[in-house]
Amino acid sequence: MAVHSRYLDIAAKIRERIKANEWEPGSKLPRLDDFAAEYGANRDTIGRAIGALEAEGYVWAVQGRGIIVRHGTIRPRRPRGNLVKRNATAPGYSFPSASSQEVWKHHIPPVATIEPLTDPRIAKLLGVPASTEVLRRFRVTGPESEPPFQINISWIHPRVADIPGVASQAPGPGDWLYRLERAGHWPLSWMEIHRARMPSKDEAALLEIPTSLPVLEIVRVGTSGGDGQPVEVTEYVVASDRVETIHVLHRDESAQGPWPEQAGETPDGRHGGAS
């Protein structure tokens, strides 16, 4: 068998074994040398097969740990709609990725620090000059039983950053937004910008994905109902194989009414006239 098809054949066989749950998500695959002996191939061919599986999102090469089976291959995609809910148990809001009844957790300790906002795009959306010192909330979250689902970084406008509780880790998600509203910014409104891009090395490590797997970047802009100006910008980064967005399309005013019948045409679309 030609080398180029040999590695693809081996990749297909390992892929089927992963899909059959021979190795559980999070577990380590055998060494390249072990696969080479099993399939009667050289180490380079096995390496190319594993590389193909990593590009497809089935495995993740972790420095010092080996080749890890990814959870995302087993878990179905999570639909992301456009509904923001109030929390049932504590003040705050749950946004589309966390709108179900499951419990989400922090995969690393959450932090809130004052940092220079060097990204000119985010700074413009927040309405501050680039490099302004801004309160930054950093979180890596996901359902309790799953690996990290998303990175979320919130930049809080300096004029509201000193509101009590905005920088703290409260019991419920979105509590700090509730505190902004209580301080005179009710009702907050939000707009999102979605785009696909490749992850940075640090983002890939936090999400436990290969750097070759694209991510969905969602930038949310929160606007004060009090003065109509931005109070926060939050960037979500989600592995592209773990989420799909759902949008309901709405008709423009020009498309609200039925189509006018064209002159000389019957309602069923046939031309009238003598037969």
Side-chain angles (χ1 to χ4, degrees):
M1 182 178 292
V3 171
H4 71 279
S5 57
R6 175 64 169 149
Y7 87 87
L8 291 175
D9 177 61
I10 293 173
K13 292 177 179 178
I14 297 175
R15 184 190 304 111
E16 289 307 310
R17 293 170 70 180
I18 292 173
K19 292 169 73 173
N21 295 338
E22 181 172 336
W23 301 285
E24 293 185 356
S27 64
K28 187 168 68 172
L29 286 181
R31 298 177 307 141
L32 298 188
D33 289 339
D34 294 334
F35 273 135
E38 180 178 354
Y39 289 111
N42 61 48
R43 201 172 189 276
D44 289 342
T45 300
I46 299 298
R48 294 183 68 186
I50 296 298
L53 294 174
E54 184 175 21
E56 294 173 9
Y58 282 92
V59 299
W60 176 47
V62 183
Q63 185 69 30
R65 289 179 56 195
I67 308 300
I68 307 300
V69 177
R70 291 194 57 229
H71 292 73
T73 62
I74 307 302
R75 196 184 76 181
R77 291 174 181 264
R78 181 177 304 280
R80 192 179 198 279
N82 55 5
L83 192 63
V84 178
K85 296 182 179 180
R86 275 187 173 175
N87 297 329
T89 57
Y93 293 99
S94 292
F95 288 85
S97 289
S99 293
S100 65
Q101 297 301 311
E102 65 198 357
V103 177
W104 280 44
K105 71 174 185 179
H106 294 284
H107 287 269
I108 63 172
V111 294
T113 54
I114 302 296
E115 304 282 349
L117 177 47
T118 57
D119 186 331
R121 176 173 175 245
I122 300 296
K124 183 177 180 180
L125 291 170
L126 189 59
V128 299
S131 299
T132 298
E133 297 282 324
V134 175
L135 174 62
R136 174 180 179 267
R137 292 170 53 96
F138 183 86
R139 308 288 188 269
V140 179
T141 59
E144 247 183 2
S145 59
E146 300 176 7
F149 180 81
Q150 67 185 19
I151 302 167
N152 48 297
I153 305 171
S154 296
W155 297 94
I156 318 300
H157 198 284
R159 79 182 193 282
V160 299
D162 60 352
I163 293 174
V166 169
S168 66
Q169 176 54 39
D175 174 89
W176 62 282
L177 296 169
Y178 153 76
R179 294 173 186 270
L180 290 179
E181 290 188 327
R182 285 197 62 187
H185 297 282
W186 164 267
L188 294 176
S189 59
W190 297 278
M191 177 269 291
E192 289 186 343
I193 304 166
H194 296 202
R195 69 176 181 178
R197 62 171 173 81
M198 303 307 293
S200 69
K201 186 176 180 180
D202 289 342
E203 289 171 338
L206 287 169
L207 293 174
E208 301 181 8
I209 61 173
T211 55
S212 58
L213 182 70
V215 292
L216 175 65
E217 177 196 87
I218 302 168
V219 175
R220 183 190 78 210
V221 182
T223 301
S224 166
D227 59 20
Q229 299 300 312
V231 290
E232 61 96 7
V233 175
T234 297
E235 178 185 17
Y236 298 94
V237 181
V238 189
S240 60
D241 68 338
R242 295 189 181 182
V243 66
E244 57 187 13
T245 60
I246 300 173
H247 304 273
V248 177
L249 302 184
H250 299 280
R251 286 178 177 265
D252 179 74
E253 185 178 348
S254 65
Q256 293 289 343
W259 285 96
E261 295 175 13
Q262 296 181 2
E265 198 174 82
T266 61
D268 62 3
R270 295 177 298 176
H271 287 280
S275 56

